[in-house]
Amino acid sequence: MKGEETRRRIVESALELFSEKSYHDVSMEEIAKKAGLSKGGLFHHFPSKYDLARTVLFTLLDEWLENLTARLEGLSGREKLETLVDAAFELITTSPKLSRFFLELYEESLRLNKTADWDEFYGRYLGSVSSILRDAGARDPEKKALLLGALVDGLALHHLLSGGKLFEVEDMKEEVLRIMEG
Amino acid sequence: MKGEETRRRIVESALELFSEKSYHDVSMEEIAKKAGLSKGGLFHHFPSKYDLARTVLFTLLDEWLENLTARLEGLSGREKLETLVDAAFELITTSPKLSRFFLELYEESLRLNKTADWDEFYGRYLGSVSSILRDAGARDPEKKALLLGALVDGLALHHLLSGGKLFEVEDMKEEVLRIMEG
Amino acid sequence: MKGEETRRRIVESALELFSEKSYHDVSMEEIAKKAGLSKGGLFHHFPSKYDLARTVLFTLLDEWLENLTARLEGLSGREKLETLVDAAFELITTSPKLSRFFLELYEESLRLNKTADWDEFYGRYLGSVSSILRDAGARDPEKKALLLGALVDGLALHHLLSGGKLFEVEDMKEEVLRIMEG
Amino acid sequence: MKGEETRRRIVESALELFSEKSYHDVSMEEIAKKAGLSKGGLFHHFPSKYDLARTVLFTLLDEWLENLTARLEGLSGREKLETLVDAAFELITTSPKLSRFFLELYEESLRLNKTADWDEFYGRYLGSVSSILRDAGARDPEKKALLLGALVDGLALHHLLSGGKLFEVEDMKEEVLRIMEG
DNA sequence: TATGAATGAGTCTTCATTCAT
DNA sequence: GATGAATGAAGACTCATTCAT
């Protein structure tokens, strides 16, 4: 499986680059070079830049969801909720550049009329998260899951735009936790 | 003031274009043509595309804020809150393409390291909105104002990405109202 | 002869593709997929795209010539002439996209300095056609054969370029018949 | 009129290149360099390669038609006919690479579905040439004009493909003259 | 025979921006 | 204030072909 290995290397290299610079500031040439193959070879594995970026992002999100599930094992309802909110905020705060990448890919999928790409992930996310919220005894867990997603993305955005000066992450986390419990 | 008039025409034309197509899919050439002047002339009025787009967006946001203030005149606390949430959702739902434009400009300011551009507007927004929330008797009005901003942007984003299938706007509005009151 | 069978399948698939789209718009990848083998396998049977396309075309032309010969069996001189002209026009009118393919391959052989590829077919064509013309009592049958070839190609070209609006095929056929008889 | 001058220079340079090499072997980069401006500048004047090439070709054809008209001044019917056929053959024989360029552009317009581009020229050509033929007393001048066009293109093609070995130009010219008179 | 990963050279095109007039 | 010619840097993508397996 030479191909699988190369593919992995490409996705990794792309992720590194996308966490450093804007989507539009990363070229396929650059990714190819970093992954140690030719531009043509890169396109052999991914038919388009958007396609590659989408793979990168969804790989990340899937890992996040998996990781979250693992962390919840054996926790109480209340603890589950805290862990969920923690994990959501980690997504924002660990690498600010990465949330930018999220945003950029959102936009790119809008631009290319590929919003359908998100349906499947949304389904998975809502399934997992609303079940966590249900376990934690939250009212209207589906709506809460939606709210959490929107809040996290919105907060990430404003966090980025204000250079982190707009709010204290810990403060906000508490606030969000309160909303989720509500 | 011939210049003022031309400027206005440019901003208007740009707004129309930006509500139709993606930021990156609108060229300065196109804007110039629509505004009825040459590319050179356009750059005479706005030093860069980003600068023009920012003007467009902030003009819009300022109008929104002004309009909101006017609508609040003479209302009770509770009514003020409802009006605020209504107005926030109008921003999302009136023109979906426009929220895309917001998102794109957010991103562009990140790319160009111009995030400071938002400070002034944030200040004005937080001032106005938190005072509304305070009047309405909300606990922790500053934090609430932040949350509202994030929620609205996040919801707009997910609304766009799901093609409106993710949630019922009215449902969400109620939920948000509840949070603001909380 | 597994190989022969595969070869045939390739040529058939390529022909189908070349009658749908321009030579340059058909990729070896596409042909391979349609023929049900890999790109590498395709190149195993044909050393180059041009080589494959040439095979496709000459197969077609050979079939045409063979078919023509068969149709002439037992006809009078005058009938032979009519059949010849008919057959020539069939080549143009049956599939317009196909005459485009002719043209494209002509050009490609010029580009690759492979014009010698045509010598053999020309020889065969001129031999067959001029003998038909001679039987039909035409003056200067060799020159007539040349003229017929040129006319057919030229008419095919203009037919294509005008979308068939330039002339009535039947009208032209009569005119050409008159020339051949002249 | 700096622009007009540049445009002329571009068309000239492109013509030189297109008479040396195949359409696909000439790059816009190359044309720009030869014309002494940047690639961007080139695209400022011609929105696409095809567009430029079309301009080059039609400029040439228009000049040919104009030149022909001038040469016919004061000639007798028979002389007009001879001059017409001469001029047509000159188009083929003067620069073989040029007729290749014709062919290539024909093909490109087919590929890009731009065949309508030829309508106007066809109209002009048929008008001029059929009136010459009418003056010369030819039967069915419109059909003859069509035939002449097809013959010239077809002969050019075969001339190219055979490297000039297929026929003697002068011989063919006589033959064509005879057809036109017929 | 066949696979498919990899190459590498090449292409058109886009566009914000500058500047001489 | 305005024009439009010109720049230059970039960028995604294509594809015939080769080759190790």
Side-chain angles (χ1 to χ4, degrees), chain D residues 1 3 8 21 30 69 77 84 88 96 108 114 166 172-173:
Chain D
M1 297 292 114
R8 228 188 321 271
K21 295 194 287 185
E30 218 173 342
T69 311
L84 168 63
E108 195 66 3
K114 300 270 194 181
L166 212 50
M172 242 353 143
K173 209 192 276 188

Side-chain angles (χ1 to χ4, degrees), chain C:
Chain C
M1 295 292 117
K2 191 91 180 312
E4 264 317 299
E5 165 53 20
T6 305
R7 232 183 116 88
R8 225 190 322 274
R9 224 173 50 237
I10 293 172
V11 171
E12 254 169 47
S13 307
L15 173 57
E16 278 181 54
L17 256 4
F18 286 136
S19 354
E20 281 165 22
K21 295 193 289 185
S22 139
Y23 176 78
H24 289 290
D25 288 337
V26 173
S27 70
M28 288 299 264
E29 177 103 53
E30 218 174 340
I31 296 171
K33 186 178 293 173
K34 182 151 204 159
L37 85 173
S38 71
K39 236 197 296 194
L42 177 52
F43 274 91
H44 190 74
H45 287 277
F46 294 91
S48 74
K49 184 182 184 182
Y50 171 73
D51 202 85
L52 166 54
R54 194 192 49 189
T55 303
V56 170
L57 184 60
F58 285 157
T59 303
L60 223 60
L61 289 177
D62 285 349
E63 279 170 8
W64 178 80
L65 215 49
E66 242 175 84
N67 186 272
L68 174 61
T69 312
R71 280 162 72 179
L72 294 173
E73 206 83 41
L75 296 187
S76 73
R78 164 74 200 194
E79 287 165 337
K80 278 186 179 170
L81 199 59
E82 279 172 10
T83 307
L84 169 62
V85 173
D86 270 356
F89 271 82
E90 279 160 18
L91 216 50
I92 304 179
T93 48
T94 308
S95 165
K97 300 270 178 167
L98 214 55
S99 10
R100 186 171 91 176
F101 175 50
F102 281 37
L103 186 62
E104 287 173 323
L105 204 64
Y106 288 159
E107 191 201 304
E108 195 64 4
S109 62
L110 282 167
R111 214 171 70 90
L112 303 176
N113 277 319
K114 301 269 193 180
T115 50
D117 288 353
W118 297 89
D119 293 351
E120 194 248 341
F121 176 76
Y122 267 138
R124 206 143 16 108
Y125 165 83
L126 289 179
S128 298
V129 171
S130 60
S131 105
I132 297 170
L133 288 162
R134 187 170 304 110
D135 284 7
R139 186 183 42 78
D140 218 339
E142 254 106 42
K143 214 177 277 174
K144 288 276 164 57
L146 282 167
L147 273 179
L148 181 62
L151 262 170
V152 165
D153 278 338
L155 287 171
L157 182 54
H158 291 203
H159 199 58
L160 278 171
L161 285 176
S162 71
K165 289 176 306 194
L166 213 49
F167 52 83
E168 277 304 311
V169 171
E170 287 306 315
D171 271 19
M172 246 346 147
K173 207 192 279 188
E174 272 175 43
E175 198 70 31
V176 170
L177 196 56
R178 207 166 301 147
I179 293 173
M180 288 301 114
E181 289 172 328

